Amino acid sequence: MFGFNRKILAYFDFTLPLLIVPIILLSWYLINENNVFLGNKVLIYIFVGLLVFVVVFLIPVQKISWLIIGFYWINILLLVAVEFFGDTRLGAQRWLEIPFVHFTFQPSETMKPALILMMAYLINKNPPKRNGYKLLDFLKLSFFVLLPFVLVLKQPDLGTALVLLLMSFGMLFLIGVNYKIWLTLFAGVMFLSPILYANLHDYQKKRIMDFVLKDPDYQVKQSIIAIGSGGAYGKEKEEATQVAYKFLPIATSDFIFPYFAERFGFVGIIGLFILYGALIFHIFSMSKVDEKDYFLKVVSYCVGLLVFIYSGVNIAMTIGLAPVVGIPLPLFSYGGSSFITFIILFAILENLLAFRYKFVYNHNSFSKRGP
């Protein structure tokens, strides 16, 4: 009879769930306090996320290259399908409906793990030389980044498109690309900035101009008030008036950070920052487990950057330091798509760590057979 040897647990990273679980529990506590119905849905997301984690963890990712390639191109086709068959909400065409069950999902969310795995596969197959990637190799890798970037940008979803771009090029910067390419790229972006701005949608231009020239809008003002009213130690539920009296919109999703600040104050904010900082630092540290394992390096860099970008931008926009772009706080804001995406990414990381020596599951070192 087939079974797994417990020795596999020696390579499982237990620090990662220890850092993730407090964030998830804090999120559920706040959301459930504000809306019991949404709180129950969060519990469902957590249960589904646990099942997804187990399934993804047991998939021998590095041994199934065709699955990685297929996953990437299927997501590209789904992004193309959004252009023709996607549901439109609030002027954005980003969702596809699954037939018969009337459930919608965003292909841009599943594109994140697909792109990360594709980049890991390509870089592991052709690691950078001593002075980093030259122009031809950089252009080949950039093609796989720019293709989903353009498709997501057309939806339009500038926030997600920029996340894909910053995550991928940030990872390439850490992996190693010749410095002359970065200097040329920086100069080109600065030169083309007026053209890029001119091609933005009107509502995107308005957001930028409002952010630069005007006072914060109502939503951001109420967010800043909520953060300030929390004081040093926060307030009880009944005294958290910004949320209790519905002054703070979207308090359980994109603007959950000011809700947390009003409830737990400055001390709570510092604690949350420490949690996210420790999580990001720990994910980046995984890249040092094996200097020759570029697959693990790429995934850890991308996931670490993704958590950093999402948390940084979300908090910055709630305090008026960045335009409001609809980016959630990782594992904290209400929303199933984003939550499951991060769970998948963490499961991939754990898989790469646990099975980094032997990826064949019936190998003697990881399995045992009964009589």
Side-chain angles (χ1 to χ4, degrees):
M1 186 175 177
F2 179 78
F4 290 106
N5 195 307
R6 291 182 181 178
K7 290 180 180 178
I8 191 176
L9 297 177
Y11 304 110
F12 188 89
D13 185 272
F14 290 97
T15 305
L16 188 61
L18 286 176
L19 293 170
I20 293 169
V21 168
I23 296 174
I24 295 174
L25 291 179
L26 274 171
S27 169
W28 171 79
Y29 177 80
L30 281 177
I31 293 170
N32 187 69
E33 177 183 83
N34 183 265
N35 188 315
V36 175
F37 175 74
L38 293 183
N40 291 334
K41 290 189 72 174
V42 169
L43 291 177
I44 295 173
Y45 293 148
I46 293 172
F47 177 73
V48 172
L50 185 60
L51 293 179
V52 169
F53 182 93
V54 172
V55 171
V56 174
F57 173 73
L58 294 175
I59 297 174
V61 179
Q62 289 206 57
K63 296 296 290 185
I64 315 179
S65 58
W66 60 267
L67 181 63
I68 294 173
I69 297 169
F71 186 39
Y72 176 86
W73 286 110
I74 286 171
N75 275 275
I76 291 295
L77 291 175
L78 289 174
L79 288 176
V80 173
V82 169
E83 180 74 17
F84 298 99
F85 311 108
D87 287 349
T88 302
R89 302 177 189 175
L90 301 175
Q93 194 171 346
R94 303 172 186 173
W95 293 267
L96 283 178
E97 182 176 318
I98 299 175
F100 309 114
V101 296
H102 303 293
F103 177 80
T104 59
F105 76 103
Q106 288 183 256
S108 58
E109 284 296 329
T110 52
M111 191 68 239
K112 292 165 191 170
L115 176 59
I116 290 172
L117 287 174
M118 190 65 174
M119 296 298 286
Y121 166 73
L122 294 170
I123 291 172
N124 192 56
K125 197 175 178 182
N126 178 31
K129 304 298 186 292
R130 185 175 181 180
N131 294 322
Y133 284 115
K134 302 297 184 183
L135 181 60
L136 183 60
D137 288 326
F138 176 75
L139 291 176
K140 287 179 181 177
L141 292 171
S142 296
F143 167 78
F144 290 95
V145 177
L146 294 176
L147 181 57
F149 168 76
V150 171
L151 291 173
V152 173
L153 192 62
K154 278 179 64 63
Q155 292 180 357
D157 189 352
L158 179 62
T160 302
L162 287 176
V163 166
L164 292 174
L165 196 70
L166 292 172
M167 175 195 73
S168 302
F169 283 168
M171 175 273 297
L172 286 173
F173 179 82
L174 295 171
I175 285 290
V177 173
N178 191 281
Y179 74 95
K180 294 178 182 178
I181 294 174
W182 292 123
L183 291 176
T184 304
L185 196 62
F186 178 76
V189 169
M190 294 299 292
F191 180 75
L192 295 173
S193 291
I195 299 173
L196 295 173
Y197 176 79
N199 283 279
L200 291 175
H201 290 265
D202 290 338
Y203 83 92
Q204 292 169 339
K205 292 179 183 177
K206 185 178 184 303
R207 280 186 180 179
I208 294 173
M209 294 306 295
D210 288 350
F211 172 72
V212 174
L213 300 177
K214 294 184 178 180
D215 291 333
D217 60 18
Y218 172 83
Q219 195 163 293
V220 176
K221 283 181 179 178
Q222 296 303 322
S223 171
I224 295 171
I225 292 171
I227 294 170
S229 71
Y233 302 105
K235 294 180 175 180
E236 296 296 328
K237 176 186 175 181
E238 294 75 17
E239 297 175 353
T241 54
Q242 287 300 109
V243 176
Y245 295 112
K246 310 298 181 184
F247 291 120
L248 180 66
I250 327 177
T252 57
S253 55
D254 291 351
F255 280 77
I256 196 171
F257 175 73
Y259 179 20
F260 173 85
E262 188 175 28
R263 286 287 282 108
F264 297 100
F266 180 74
V267 173
I269 291 173
I270 295 301
L272 190 64
F273 283 179
I274 290 172
L275 265 178
Y276 273 109
L279 177 61
I280 293 167
F281 178 81
H282 182 66
I283 293 171
F284 276 124
S285 72
M286 293 177 183
S287 66
K288 302 299 180 183
V289 170
D290 185 352
E291 290 292 339
K292 295 181 180 179
D293 189 350
Y294 277 90
F295 204 104
L296 177 58
K297 274 181 178 291
V298 171
V299 175
S300 62
Y301 283 151
C302 284
V303 176
L305 285 167
L306 205 58
V307 177
F308 174 75
I309 293 167
Y310 266 71
S311 56
V313 172
N314 178 274
I315 293 170
M317 76 182 190
T318 62
I319 59 178
L321 295 180
V324 178
V325 290
I327 287 180
L329 192 57
L331 305 173
F332 210 77
S333 297
Y334 172 80
S337 297
S338 175
F339 180 80
I340 298 299
T341 298
F342 276 104
I343 292 298
I344 290 172
L345 293 174
F346 294 141
I348 292 170
L349 271 176
E350 290 285 15
N351 173 281
L352 296 177
L353 289 168
F355 296 100
R356 66 183 181 271
Y357 296 116
K358 295 291 182 181
F359 294 93
V360 180
Y361 284 77
N362 62 356
H363 190 276
N364 291 335
S365 63
F366 285 124
S367 65
K368 59 184 179 181
R369 297 183 184 274

